Amino acid sequence: GLFKVATEGPYNIEKDKEIGFFDYEKKYKYDSWKKLSILSSLEAKKEYINLSCDLQKKDRPDFGQGEHD
């Protein structure tokens, strides 16, 4: 959802037409996009970067410590 808001802006209701009845994965992604559409594009980009860094720190505790990051 954060990526979609950051790159495409707020959710567009027309996107609902793209969701098939049994397409639960797309529905879940679009629901997240709808929920996060209260954020501006800039706010979503910042949140996305923070989330990405947090996930990398979990994988690599030394992330951000050296010159090769």
Side-chain angles (χ1 to χ4, degrees):
L2 287 171
F3 181 81
K4 294 294 258 183
V5 174
T7 59
E8 296 188 31
Y11 184 79
N12 181 344
I13 196 73
E14 291 295 315
K15 293 288 186 181
D16 284 345
K17 296 176 185 175
E18 297 176 11
I19 304 172
F21 187 74
F22 292 106
D23 196 348
Y24 300 112
E25 182 179 350
K26 187 177 272 189
K27 182 180 179 347
Y28 181 76
K29 288 179 181 180
Y30 281 18
D31 284 348
S32 176
W33 186 8
K34 282 184 209 180
K35 179 180 170 185
L36 294 169
S37 285
I38 61 170
L39 300 174
S40 71
S41 178
L42 183 59
E43 290 172 317
K45 287 175 186 176
K46 288 178 181 178
E47 290 292 322
Y48 185 82
I49 291 168
N50 289 338
L51 177 62
S52 177
C53 287
D54 288 346
L55 292 173
Q56 287 183 9
K57 286 177 186 176
K58 285 182 182 179
D59 271 352
R60 291 183 32 208
D62 63 335
F63 179 76
Q65 302 293 320
E67 62 183 61
H68 298 290
D69 293 324

